[in-house]
Amino acid sequence: MKMKDNSATFVILGGTGDLAKKKLIPSIYALFRDGALDEFDVVSTSREEMSDEDYVSIVENNVEKTEGWEEFCQHLHFVRLNFYEDGDYSHLKKVLGNCERRKLFYLATLPQHFQTITHNLASHDLVTDYDKVIYEKPFGDDLGSARELNDTIRKVFPEERIYRIDHYLDKELVENITVLRFANSIVEPIWCSKYIDHVQIIASEDFGVEGRGEYYDKYGAIRDFFQSHILQLLALTTMSRPGQFDAKCIRDEKVKALSKVKVLDAIRGQYEGYLQEDHVARDSSTETLAAVKLGLDGRRWDGVPIFTLFGKNLADKYAQVYVQFKRTEQRFSGGRINHSPNSLVVSIQPDQGIYFTLNTKVPGEMRTTESEMNFCYTCHHGPNTPRAYENLLIQAVRGHQRSFVRSDEIEQQWRIVEEIEDQEPFKYEKGQIADQVRDFIGERRWHDL
Ligand code: BG6
């Protein structure tokens, strides 16, 4: 069978969930509108009974309808499917018929259903040798379950056709970390313990669990955010140069970096009011914020602490990687001059850019001042960079795996999580930085907090 590169039948398992409504359908529509898909159909499933038209009316509120919406809807189909009902899979098979196109199964469901769905897709003969599968995060809820899941799905799909989502990997500035480090001869030589004092990886959100209490209370900040986004940022920041800039080499290097990571310290917090959120246990000790100090074995990162901080209901929404270099011991005209350490910030969102601080001379005096070299990404490239889910979907259609997480990365990530000790979270006021967070970093200061 000859497959067109940009064609697919998207089969969305969990078609009425937030992810499907808010991200997947709008993204497939955007791809269609931009002419990125040659041929496609969308078959969305969920437990409810409804017609294709009912489904359109559920999803259309989240879509900015411009040209082609009516035509797009002709490709939207709905099939009722209870993940645990054999008969429903047989019906889905009938609807898909002898689908000539490659199918892209998207498991936009809670992770506890992944194994059953994967197993049932195979046992009902729904998977051909061309089909692919995308798993939303979180992939497993600990090392054991992630391994078990990897074992199950590898019996159905080979690794080259498995796409584990971490949508941070497709953010422009996250992809830029690799380019910044390895395409610039001035960066890599100083990217080591001889020059770097410490690294901070911060992801701060100014909202709470937003209706996701049921999921969040089971996972918490460490399993929801640290296990995935933070550890991927850490892997990209600390990995060695990949032989090539392809999925295999980059993922090989990320796994090597992750396997050297050890947890040095951690604290957990919970925002005031969390216990009153819908679907959250009234006595829950789930953390909504955490700070974790990490180190890496080996000479390159010897003695360089990596402080990570992530949490909900903080003052602002932003994400960044901050690298602070060691202070020089320079003396001028016999006297010591106070100057700041250089730093480099990769600002992932909302501002997208790379900032480098340098010490320069104050005019007329032998005194230094801090100046910023500022590369504003949107100023150079405009604000219309593709949105993460559009990009991820088209990459999966085309078979590019660089922005997806491989089985061994996921297992390393869970290994690291399991090193963090359980402890009762402290309470923090919404929008406030708790003393525990401030003190966590010792003599150093959190950047921008
Ligand atoms: C998701 C987490 O993976 O990422 C959420 O489950 C979090 O808790 C979200 O809010 C943040 O994504 P972004 O792209 O808005 O930073």
Side-chain angles (χ1 to χ4, degrees):
M1 188 170 16
K2 174 100 181 74
M3 298 279 169
K4 286 197 183 170
D5 268 3
N6 295 324
S7 297
T9 294
F10 299 94
V11 183
I12 304 180
L13 290 305
T16 51
D18 260 14
L19 179 72
K21 289 192 291 193
K22 293 187 181 155
K23 302 274 188 199
L24 303 182
I25 299 293
S27 299
I28 299 171
Y29 171 52
L31 291 173
F32 158 76
R33 213 182 35 204
D34 297 346
L37 295 169
D38 293 334
E39 290 171 11
F40 79 102
D41 272 298
V42 181
V43 178
S44 267
T45 76
S46 96
R47 283 210 298 211
E48 301 91 326
E49 191 70 69
M50 70 179 94
S51 64
D52 292 355
E53 292 72 31
D54 293 339
Y55 186 64
V56 169
S57 63
I58 286 185
V59 294
E60 66 185 351
N61 294 338
N62 294 294
V63 175
E64 240 178 76
K65 288 181 262 176
T66 52
E67 77 266 33
W69 174 247
E70 305 296 327
E71 190 188 338
F72 176 76
C73 291
Q74 307 293 313
H75 297 267
L76 270 189
H77 312 282
F78 181 82
V79 175
R80 199 189 80 86
L81 180 105
N82 174 335
F83 305 141
Y84 295 85
E85 283 292 330
D86 282 338
D88 288 359
Y89 288 89
S90 309
H91 177 57
L92 175 63
K93 187 168 161 56
K94 238 185 256 162
V95 174
L96 290 169
N98 296 324
C99 179
E100 286 271 303
R101 225 175 278 136
R102 169 183 291 126
K103 294 189 285 302
L104 188 53
F105 295 100
Y106 199 121
L107 276 68
T109 70
L110 288 174
Q112 60 260 36
H113 303 304
F114 286 178
Q115 289 224 42
T116 307
I117 297 173
T118 312
H119 172 80
N120 283 341
L121 290 175
S123 65
H124 290 85
D125 214 11
L126 276 150
V127 182
T128 69
D129 286 351
Y130 304 96
D131 295 342
K132 302 174 184 177
V133 64
I134 303 184
Y135 293 93
E136 251 308 317
K137 66 163 270 287
F139 190 90
D141 44 31
D142 58 14
L143 179 57
S145 61
R147 276 193 181 141
E148 206 182 308
L149 192 49
N150 275 330
D151 290 346
T152 306
I153 66 177
R154 273 192 302 237
K155 289 185 189 131
V156 180
F157 296 92
E159 188 66 39
E160 313 83 76
R161 291 194 273 121
I162 302 172
Y163 297 78
R164 297 175 193 80
I165 291 263
D166 184 319
H167 75 280
Y168 258 59
L169 288 182
D170 208 56
K171 289 185 187 277
E172 275 299 323
L173 266 290
V174 174
E175 291 212 286
N176 241 299
I177 295 174
T178 315
V179 175
L180 169 75
R181 292 190 51 203
F182 302 115
N184 294 297
S185 59
I186 58 166
V187 178
E188 196 51 11
I190 56 167
W191 212 255
C192 59
S193 59
K194 184 168 177 203
Y195 298 102
I196 293 181
D197 175 75
H198 76 281
V199 177
Q200 297 178 20
I201 301 176
I202 303 176
S204 156
E205 297 187 320
D206 56 359
F207 49 84
V209 293
E210 291 199 311
R212 294 163 77 219
E214 187 184 351
Y215 155 77
Y216 199 86
D217 204 38
K218 182 158 180 262
Y219 281 83
I222 292 174
R223 282 160 201 273
D224 173 56
F225 210 105
F226 173 81
Q227 185 274 336
S228 50
H229 312 319
I230 296 282
L231 288 177
Q232 280 294 324
L233 288 173
L234 171 110
L236 290 167
T237 305
T238 57
M239 71 181 183
S240 297
R241 177 186 288 280
Q244 301 194 27
F245 273 21
D246 61 18
K248 178 179 181 317
C249 295
I250 292 179
R251 299 198 293 180
D252 284 350
E253 289 309 327
K254 282 197 287 171
V255 173
K256 283 189 216 155
L258 288 166
S259 66
K260 293 181 190 152
V261 173
K262 51 193 187 223
V263 173
L264 303 176
D265 197 4
I267 50 168
R268 302 169 193 253
Q270 186 187 76
Y271 61 79
E272 294 284 1
Y274 175 72
L275 299 182
Q276 282 72 56
E277 298 275 12
D278 289 346
H279 308 296
V280 163
R282 295 297 165 243
D283 59 350
S284 171
S285 56
T286 297
E287 77 285 348
T288 57
L289 165 152
V292 184
K293 179 179 174 187
L294 302 155
L296 265 81
D297 284 333
R299 228 180 43 206
R300 179 178 198 153
W301 294 102
D302 188 28
V304 180
I306 299 178
F307 297 98
T308 67
L309 172 64
F310 43 97
K312 296 204 180 280
N313 265 330
L314 298 172
D316 299 298
K317 175 164 169 72
Y318 71 95
Q320 61 175 228
V321 176
Y322 167 85
V323 178
Q324 186 172 308
F325 293 91
K326 291 184 171 158
R327 209 184 282 272
T328 62
E329 285 301 321
Q330 189 59 56
R331 286 166 180 271
F332 293 93
S333 318
R336 187 186 291 275
I337 287 193
N338 272 337
H339 56 279
S340 316
N342 299 125
S343 63
L344 187 142
V345 179
V346 178
S347 173
I348 297 161
Q349 60 190 30
D351 301 327
Q352 296 185 310
I354 298 171
Y355 314 100
F356 190 52
T357 60
L358 290 173
N359 291 300
T360 53
K361 199 177 90 52
V362 174
E365 298 174 47
M366 193 34 107
R367 204 158 54 80
T368 62
T369 183
E370 204 177 286
S371 311
E372 209 173 64
M373 287 174 70
N374 181 343
F375 166 61
C376 158
Y377 198 79
T378 29
C379 310
H380 279 258
H381 302 294
N384 291 326
T385 49
R387 282 176 295 182
Y389 273 89
E390 279 163 52
N391 237 358
L392 287 169
L393 284 165
I394 198 68
Q395 287 190 39
V397 169
R398 292 178 182 154
H400 301 163
Q401 290 190 300
R402 200 184 60 220
S403 302
F404 296 87
V405 186
R406 207 167 60 188
S407 59
D408 44 0
E409 290 177 79
I410 285 275
E411 291 181 14
Q412 280 299 334
Q413 288 167 230
W414 280 119
R415 175 199 62 79
I416 298 166
V417 166
E418 294 201 345
E419 280 188 23
I420 303 175
E421 281 173 21
D422 264 345
Q423 65 191 201
E424 210 37 48
F426 57 85
K427 294 281 184 192
Y428 63 95
E429 294 287 332
K430 292 182 189 175
Q432 303 293 314
I433 300 302
D435 290 345
Q436 290 90 331
V437 172
R438 251 182 246 291
D439 297 346
F440 185 73
I441 196 162
E443 304 278 276
R444 300 175 170 105
R445 290 268 167 90
W446 289 109
H447 183 245
D448 268 0
L449 222 57

